[in-house]
Amino acid sequence: MSDPVLITKLKDSLLKGEIAVLCTVIEKKGHGPREVGSKMLVTEQGEHFGSIGGGSMERFLIEQALDVLKIGKCRTLHFAMGIPPREGMIAIDSQCGGEVKIFMDIIKTEPRLFVMGSG
């Protein structure tokens, strides 16, 4: 899914007053399923659009995104993809042989107040 389609899905969710989580690959060392900048959108209903690599990591991220929505705080996750995990890393059964960091950002509309007048 291209970024313009993903952004359209995000816009549609926001127009409905829904909250979503935008998961973005922010760092990659060694081999990984997708490049830095790859994105996946997870809606509060658990629908997801785009991809950060698929497989067990993506399924885990969807669960984490729903948790992020409940807690209301952004989160960064660090994955070991088929390599021994260091402290703070989440081990993923993968043949990639690298590591990736994913930033999970809560996207929601903010209330706005416009005051207009003259005189």
Side-chain angles (χ1 to χ4, degrees):
M1 176 174 288
S2 68
D3 279 353
V5 173
L6 189 135
I7 298 302
T8 299
K9 295 289 187 185
L10 175 58
K11 180 189 80 156
D12 293 345
S13 290
L14 293 174
L15 287 173
K16 293 181 211 171
E18 299 172 347
I19 302 170
V21 174
L22 186 61
C23 304
T24 305
V25 177
I26 59 170
E27 187 177 322
K28 179 176 108 170
K29 293 181 183 174
H31 297 285
R34 297 290 306 271
E35 296 302 316
V36 170
S38 297
K39 294 173 180 39
M40 178 177 73
L41 180 70
V42 181
T43 68
E44 58 187 322
Q45 290 80 27
E47 294 179 293
H48 60 281
F49 305 95
S51 176
I52 48 78
S56 58
M57 181 176 69
E58 200 161 279
R59 287 188 295 275
F60 181 77
L61 274 174
I62 293 167
E63 292 172 12
Q64 291 297 303
L66 294 173
D67 189 52
V68 162
L69 287 173
K70 286 180 192 167
I71 294 170
K73 288 184 73 175
C74 299
R75 183 180 298 170
T76 300
L77 299 176
H78 193 179
F79 293 95
M81 315 256 332
I83 61 171
R86 297 186 308 280
E87 186 176 340
M89 294 177 80
I90 301 163
I92 295 293
D93 183 22
S94 170
Q95 300 301 314
C96 289
E99 56 187 84
V100 295
K101 282 187 181 177
I102 310 289
F103 179 65
M104 304 175 80
D105 194 10
I106 300 169
I107 309 293
K108 61 184 175 180
T109 57
E110 297 292 337
R112 292 190 174 110
L113 172 66
F114 293 95
V115 178
M116 298 179 165
S118 64

